[in-house]
Structures are given as structure tokens and as C-alpha cells.
Amino acid sequence: MRRIFWTIGVALLAIIGVGLVFLLEAHWEIRSVAPALPDRQAIDAALEGADGPVQIRYVNTASQGAAGRRVIHPAYVLEWADGRIFLVEVGMDREGAAAFGRTMERLLGSAPIEIYGSVAEQMGGDIERVAAIAVSHLHVDHTGGIAEICTAASQRIAVFQTEMQASRGNYVTVPGQAHLDEAACADKTVLPTASIYPLADYPGLIAISAGGHTPGSTVYVAKVGGTYWVMAGDIAWTAYDIQNDIPKPAAYSALVVPEYGARMEELRHWLKALDDDPNTHVVVSHGEQALIDHGMTPYNRGPN
């Protein structure tokens, strides 16, 4: 009997040890990523004169109560005058949302998740106008909807990643990268290394490598009319946290998602400086209030 308990104990210690190795490696990796952040003048120059998207809307695939707030899982729908659509984030499908919700209930004591349907399900026939996709980072709640998009679409779809996102990751980004790699409709394009990544075929839209949350975290900025929309991913949980320099709980950043605290603080300050401009709206992936406050409307598809 002692031998059995000893064997079980050794096995548990081995499992814990392997987990710690992955966790420490992820923390080391994220601390090695801190690319220079462009100032407002550089962003203005990159977007100057661009015949950009004519509107931005969102599709919310699920929501869940957590820590006194409502967490949403949207995709941002950018549309150009010629009808082409670029999705920043793709949310989750129903099965993925259910699994993700159960995980959040166990880890964070969240309420049961409310599921509204995948991007493909909600956009219907308009999915045929989706020409390109990008994600802020490679967590499954941002990538899980791509398979249903590919199933519904008859066209090839460009999938853009910055060089940092395509080449740097950790154990929490592997499943999300697999979603992109396995997408049947995807024509993957890795953007050349730069401080600001312009998307040549999509004027009025740029990508900026950020780090902090994951090694490949990317901020997207779209100029829609005279308004700049800064899609900041999971750099913070709410826009209020950016305005008031509120970090995520230390236990979350240490144990749940390995984050680089000093870089996250730097990014909050950078985003606040952008958000302080009255013509700029910073939105974070899981914060609904900023979408409401800034008047971004839900996507309503046209006749199929």
C-alpha cells in the first residue's frame, strides 16, 4: 500500500513539475516581447488619406458574468465601400463557447455562459463577403469561430498575422494557432516585420505588435470616416481599466494566463493616450460598455 501511495505521490509531483516548467517557460517568453510602440503621429501618417472602411459593427458570439462584470466574445466587422468585409476576431462556435464557459466557471467562478451563435451563423449569407480575417491573439475564444466560417464560405479568405504572432507563442496559444492552421478556406499571410503593419489591400487598417498578454498580441487600428477605432484585444478587461490604469488580478496574470505586468502597464498608458483623443475610441475584446458608449452597433445582415 505504501508503494502505491509513493507511486501516486511521485506521479503527482511529476505532473506539477511539468506544469511549472510550461508556466515558467511562458513567463520567460512573454518577458522577451516588448516591441516599440508607435506614437499618434506615426499612426496618423500610416492612415493618412486612406480610403478606409465605411463602417464598423460587431457580432457577439457569447457572454458570461464574471467578477461583477459581463464578459462578451465579439468579432469586429469592418466593411469597405465595395462590400468587402474584414473580420478582426472570429469569436467562438456554440460547442467551443460551451466548453470555454465551463472552464471559466471552474477557474474563476463565473456564471453560466450565454451563447448566441457563431459569426457564420449570425452573418448568414453575408459570410460570402468576408475577404480577410485577423485576430488580436491566439486564445481559443478569439479563434474558435473560423472553422464554421470556412464551412459556410465558398471563397478563399486571407488570414493575416504579424511576424511576432506567427512565430512566438506558448502553451496557451497552441490551440488557437491550430485553429488558423487547420482552417480549410484560409490563405495565410505573415506580414513583414515593421513598427506599423499596413494591410495594403485594406486601406485604413493597420496592425501593431503589442505583446504583454501573449507574445503575439496585436492591436488593430481602423480609420472609419474621421474616427479611429483601436481594437486592443485583451490588453485590459474593460476600457475603464485602461482609463484608470487598473491591472488584472495578480493571480490571473501569474497562473491562469502568463502575462508581462510591466508591459501591460506600458500598453495601458499608451492606449489611454490614444483614447484621450475625442476622435479615437479604444475597445477591448471582452468589454461591452465601451461599445455601447461609443455607439458601435451590432451587425444586422442584409437579405440572403
Side-chain angles (χ1 to χ4, degrees):
M1 183 63 72
R2 287 181 180 176
R3 179 177 292 274
I4 292 173
F5 284 126
W6 183 85
T7 302
I8 292 172
V10 169
L12 288 173
L13 287 173
I15 292 170
I16 293 170
V18 169
L20 283 174
V21 168
F22 278 107
L23 183 63
L24 291 173
E25 181 182 29
H27 276 288
W28 177 85
E29 176 72 13
I30 192 65
R31 280 162 174 72
S32 70
V33 177
L37 296 169
D39 60 20
R40 180 55 188 256
Q41 289 70 32
I43 294 172
D44 286 344
L47 294 171
E48 185 178 7
D51 188 14
V54 295
Q55 62 178 329
I56 181 170
R57 291 174 285 176
Y58 71 96
V59 174
N60 187 19
T61 60
S63 65
Q64 189 167 20
R69 60 192 178 88
R70 184 169 179 258
V71 174
I72 64 170
H73 297 276
Y76 303 109
V77 184
L78 292 159
E79 185 174 345
W80 275 256
D82 61 8
R84 290 180 305 150
I85 286 173
F86 192 116
L87 298 176
V88 177
E89 318 289 27
V90 293
M92 299 180 284
D93 60 21
R94 288 181 178 273
E95 182 179 358
F100 187 87
R102 289 192 295 269
T103 299
M104 291 302 100
E105 287 182 58
R106 290 194 297 269
L107 287 178
L108 302 178
S110 301
I113 197 165
E114 299 175 38
I115 301 171
Y116 310 123
S118 68
V119 170
E121 185 179 342
Q122 294 191 55
M123 289 185 69
D126 285 356
I127 211 73
E128 296 287 344
R129 297 196 286 121
V130 174
I133 287 169
V135 297
S136 64
H137 61 284
L138 298 170
H139 285 165
V140 295
D141 56 320
H142 294 254
T143 62
I146 195 168
E148 283 197 9
I149 290 172
C150 284
T151 298
S154 60
Q155 74 278 17
R156 303 293 297 173
I157 297 176
V159 175
F160 292 100
Q161 291 186 282
T162 63
E163 182 276 333
M164 192 76 74
Q165 188 179 96
S167 64
R168 305 284 290 271
N170 55 41
Y171 68 97
V172 295
T173 67
V174 169
Q177 184 64 61
H179 284 156
L180 302 190
D181 291 341
E182 295 166 6
C185 64
D187 287 331
K188 288 183 61 182
T189 298
V190 178
L191 299 166
T193 302
S195 173
I196 292 176
Y197 298 80
L199 286 90
D201 294 330
Y202 300 91
L205 179 63
I206 59 173
I208 301 167
S209 286
H213 179 57
T214 72
S217 285
T218 306
V219 172
Y220 284 87
V221 184
K223 186 178 182 181
V224 184
T227 301
Y228 288 47
W229 290 90
V230 182
M231 292 158 276
D234 287 6
I235 300 306
W237 281 341
T238 70
Y240 179 88
D241 295 341
I242 290 171
Q243 279 294 327
N244 294 277
D245 195 21
I246 299 173
K248 297 176 187 176
Y252 175 88
S253 297
L255 301 174
V256 180
V257 175
E259 295 181 322
Y260 182 12
R263 178 63 170 183
M264 294 288 273
E265 181 179 16
E266 181 184 7
L267 287 164
R268 288 195 302 273
H269 295 171
W270 175 69
L271 289 168
K272 182 182 185 303
L274 296 177
D275 199 35
D276 284 344
D277 185 306
N279 294 321
T280 300
H281 301 323
V282 174
V283 293
V284 295
S285 290
H286 302 306
E288 183 178 41
Q289 192 59 48
L291 300 181
I292 296 170
D293 291 344
H294 297 315
M296 189 187 295
T297 58
Y299 189 88
N300 294 313
R301 66 175 183 259
N304 294 330

